[in-house]
Amino acid sequence: LERKLMNAKNSERSPINVILHFDMDCYYASAEMVRNPSLMGKPVGILQNKCICTTNYVARGLGVFKMSHYKQAVEICPNLIVIPADMNYYQAESRKIWNYVRDTFFKARHSPDLVDIEILGLDEINADITKLVMQRLCLLEEPMTSCPGYIMPEGKKFESSIENQMLWMGGVIADELRREIASKFGYNGSAGIAHNIMLAKLIGNEHKPASQTVLMYDPSYIEKEYLAPRSIRDIPNIGRITQKKLNALSIHTMEDLVCLYRKNPEVMMKIGDIKTFVELAKGVDKRPISSNKGFEKKSLMVEVTFPTVSKISTLRTHLATLIETFCYRIRLDFERHHRVPTAVLVRWGDRIRHHSMTVNLNEVIQSTLNKVVRQKGNLKDHEATLLSFFLNVYVSQFSHPFHVYNLGLIFHKFISSNARSIQLTLSSSENSDSKTLIKSEYPTVSSISLEKQAEKRKQSILHHRIATRVEKNLKKGTL
């Protein structure tokens, strides 16, 4: 075994990867309990847009769960302590914790090249700790036989193979991480350890809260027993639309998906990236951790769901929350990848179905985003500019009266944003044949034609007219 470990360490490839998924338990509620320790042991709910967006486990034990309507939650639990969401505080706490995990817990104590970390949101991360695991194993005098936390499959004796040793050591590192965050910051978290990203996330949810679970390397058990009965919604990138298409083929579980694909693959060829879905249903996930690997997500998505609304004033409130979250995430993305989006897929859901449309971002919005990521000017002013723009986009597409319960923005078509100042060539106005040079801090895309830029200007004018009309109606009280 020692010889295998040394050979694996010296080679470029290890027998398996070791992925650690860490998720802070009921993060918003935990942040409030850290700020106010007197809330410990009491039912706490976080209010956002008239919804209880999350609750602590005391409240969940009393029947109040996340995404409950405020009135319904208070009826179920009259003693529920409802606290308005403080996104700025949650973001600051998250940034402090993840900076510590990345720069102190992993990189300062070990070589910076041993761990790749991907921050997934305010409360969760993925970490590829394969190299760190190999280093730690080589320092042991005796082989490992177990690790802290739960081990699946339960009740089975495992050999001290190199794969099992690697996963057990992953469990030791996860336990150290959980204890460190709990003692230093006061947040409990749950961890999953497996040989790929999908399995680490799924297994981490098995024994919440404040626990960890290691999924041992047993491909037959993983495919036929662990994954087979699970819903296809547990497969990454399968959303409601894809789920409906698969349900129409009587596919509800991962086992259904694998079996039908083996029998009749032609029937399923029109459903997205079906081959990848089938591989994931078998437990094969080849996605890498994005950090330090040159792998960048092609899009950045923010979404909010709420009780159905029919007034623009209420819609504005929900959209403001969405814009605030986006501005935080785009700054994080810029710190890692130095890029900004040039287009957005606008989505919304109403009583009929989900809708979507692609919008190219005009120069005003591009300049605003550039100031947001570089933290120039007043952030609230930038958020107000973005809010006005996207509210106009949504309202221009709604049928009236509207009944919307979901808003989403998927930003894509990223370009590098290293240049401080560039000049965009724009087509002249209708009354002039000359070309005008307008200075902008936002980098241009050489492939954008003058015709496309002119179209963007027309779109911007249209949105401005709609905004003016909406504001007038709001003042009159007709909306």
Side-chain angles (χ1 to χ4, degrees):
L1 178 63
E2 183 179 354
R3 186 168 60 253
K4 287 182 179 179
L5 282 171
M6 292 303 296
N7 290 338
K9 184 184 178 184
N10 294 329
S11 66
E12 294 183 358
R13 294 189 61 185
S14 60
I16 59 171
N17 290 326
V18 181
I19 305 297
L20 187 160
H21 178 87
F22 179 79
D23 181 9
M24 287 188 281
D25 299 325
C26 51
Y27 173 61
Y28 291 0
S30 295
E32 294 296 345
M33 290 188 288
V34 168
R35 180 156 58 176
N36 182 5
S38 65
L39 296 174
M40 294 289 184
K42 300 177 182 178
V44 176
I46 306 302
L47 182 66
Q48 190 176 36
N49 302 326
K50 297 184 180 179
C51 279
I52 303 298
C53 62
T54 190
T55 59
N56 63 0
Y57 281 92
V58 177
R60 295 180 192 186
L62 297 173
V64 182
F65 300 94
K66 62 181 181 180
M67 297 314 298
S68 301
H69 194 277
Y70 170 72
K71 291 183 180 179
Q72 181 184 10
V74 174
E75 288 177 1
I76 294 173
C77 179
N79 296 327
L80 181 69
I81 300 173
V82 180
I83 303 173
D86 185 351
M87 294 305 300
N88 291 331
Y89 169 63
Y90 305 151
Q91 291 164 5
E93 285 287 285
S94 173
R95 193 180 301 114
K96 179 174 65 177
I97 294 169
W98 297 144
N99 285 342
Y100 177 84
V101 169
R102 181 186 59 201
D103 299 331
T104 303
F105 181 82
F106 282 123
K107 292 188 178 180
R109 298 181 183 179
H110 311 284
S111 169
D113 298 328
L114 290 181
V115 180
D116 289 333
I117 300 175
E118 179 182 9
I119 299 174
L120 302 175
L122 296 182
D123 62 343
E124 60 181 324
I125 61 169
N126 280 331
D128 186 339
I129 57 174
T130 308
K131 296 176 183 177
L132 176 59
V133 162
M134 298 303 298
Q135 183 189 71
R136 294 275 294 266
L137 284 175
C138 289
L139 298 175
L140 294 179
E141 296 182 357
E142 297 181 359
M144 296 184 66
T145 57
S146 186
C147 70
Y150 297 90
I151 297 176
M152 292 186 67
E154 296 176 316
K156 181 179 178 180
K157 291 186 177 181
F158 300 97
E159 299 178 355
S160 294
S161 65
I162 185 171
E163 292 85 1
N164 290 342
Q165 296 251 355
M166 291 177 70
L167 290 166
W168 283 328
M169 179 55 74
V172 171
I173 295 171
D175 185 62
E176 294 172 357
L177 175 63
R178 292 194 309 108
R179 291 177 183 275
E180 183 96 358
I181 292 177
S183 62
K184 189 169 183 64
F185 300 101
Y187 291 86
N188 289 323
S190 299
I193 303 91
H195 65 275
N196 65 44
I197 294 175
M198 181 186 78
L199 295 175
K201 181 173 178 61
L202 291 178
I203 203 68
N205 293 326
E206 291 292 333
H207 297 98
K208 281 191 170 189
S211 66
Q212 65 179 58
T213 310
V214 176
L215 179 61
M216 303 308 293
Y217 184 71
D218 186 344
S220 177
Y221 163 78
I222 290 171
E223 178 184 350
K224 297 178 181 178
E225 296 184 48
Y226 181 67
L227 292 179
R230 299 186 76 97
S231 168
I232 53 175
R233 281 301 297 271
D234 287 336
I235 298 176
N237 297 324
I238 289 188
R240 294 180 182 178
I241 295 176
T242 304
Q243 183 186 22
K244 287 181 180 179
K245 293 178 180 178
L246 292 172
N247 289 164
L249 297 173
S250 299
I251 297 174
H252 301 277
T253 66
M254 296 192 191
E255 184 179 26
D256 296 337
L257 178 61
V258 173
C259 291
L260 184 58
Y261 186 79
R262 284 172 178 167
K263 293 177 182 178
N264 192 0
E266 291 79 11
V267 177
M268 308 168 68
M269 284 305 169
K270 294 182 180 180
I271 302 177
D273 191 1
I274 192 63
K275 291 183 180 180
T276 301
F277 294 154
V278 172
E279 288 297 300
L280 291 168
K282 294 178 182 178
V284 180
D285 184 0
K286 298 180 181 179
R287 293 175 298 161
I289 300 294
S290 68
S291 174
N292 299 328
K293 291 190 177 182
F295 176 82
E296 299 179 359
K297 292 184 177 180
K298 295 182 179 180
S299 63
L300 191 156
M301 177 179 176
V302 287
E303 187 176 24
V304 61
T305 302
F306 40 82
T308 303
V309 300
S310 302
K311 294 184 178 180
I312 291 181
S313 56
T314 311
L315 188 75
R316 182 195 294 269
T317 303
H318 294 301
L319 185 57
T321 302
L322 196 68
I323 296 300
E324 185 179 358
T325 302
F326 164 70
C327 287
Y328 169 73
R329 292 193 59 191
I330 195 66
R331 288 199 301 272
L332 284 182
D333 185 85
F334 183 80
E335 288 176 6
R336 293 197 294 264
H337 306 305
H338 300 286
R339 61 181 188 166
V340 280
T342 62
V344 59
L345 181 67
V346 178
R347 301 172 60 183
W348 67 95
D350 57 27
R351 292 177 178 176
I352 303 173
R353 63 184 180 89
H354 273 78
H355 310 263
S356 63
M357 62 173 289
T358 299
V359 177
N360 292 320
L361 301 179
N362 61 36
E363 291 156 29
V364 174
I365 300 304
Q366 290 180 355
S367 177
T368 301
L369 289 180
N370 200 33
K371 292 174 183 176
V372 168
V373 297
R374 296 179 186 277
Q375 301 184 27
K376 293 182 178 180
N378 190 318
L379 178 60
K380 292 297 180 183
D381 291 342
H382 301 330
E383 289 179 351
T385 301
L386 296 173
L387 174 61
S388 176
F389 174 78
F390 286 110
L391 181 64
N392 297 338
V393 172
Y394 278 115
V395 173
S396 67
Q397 298 300 316
F398 288 169
S399 57
H400 295 275
F402 61 87
H403 305 282
V404 176
Y405 68 88
N406 172 272
L407 299 175
L409 299 171
I410 303 177
F411 293 84
H412 58 107
K413 293 185 180 180
F414 286 90
I415 61 173
S416 174
S417 181
N418 294 323
R420 290 185 178 180
S421 177
I422 54 97
Q423 291 198 346
L424 291 176
T425 304
L426 300 176
S427 59
S428 62
S429 63
E430 294 180 359
N431 298 327
S432 174
D433 295 330
S434 61
K435 295 179 179 178
T436 306
L437 292 177
I438 296 182
K439 214 169 185 179
S440 170
E441 292 181 346
Y442 194 85
T444 187
V445 182
S446 59
S447 60
I448 296 181
S449 65
L450 297 179
E451 290 79 12
K452 287 186 178 180
Q453 292 171 6
E455 183 61 32
K456 285 184 180 181
R457 292 179 63 191
K458 291 180 181 178
Q459 192 177 37
S460 177
I461 293 171
L462 175 62
H463 291 156
H464 176 73
R465 289 175 179 172
I466 294 172
T468 305
R469 192 180 308 146
V470 169
E471 292 296 337
K472 288 181 179 178
N473 290 334
L474 281 172
K475 290 179 181 179
K476 292 178 181 179
T478 56
L479 287 178

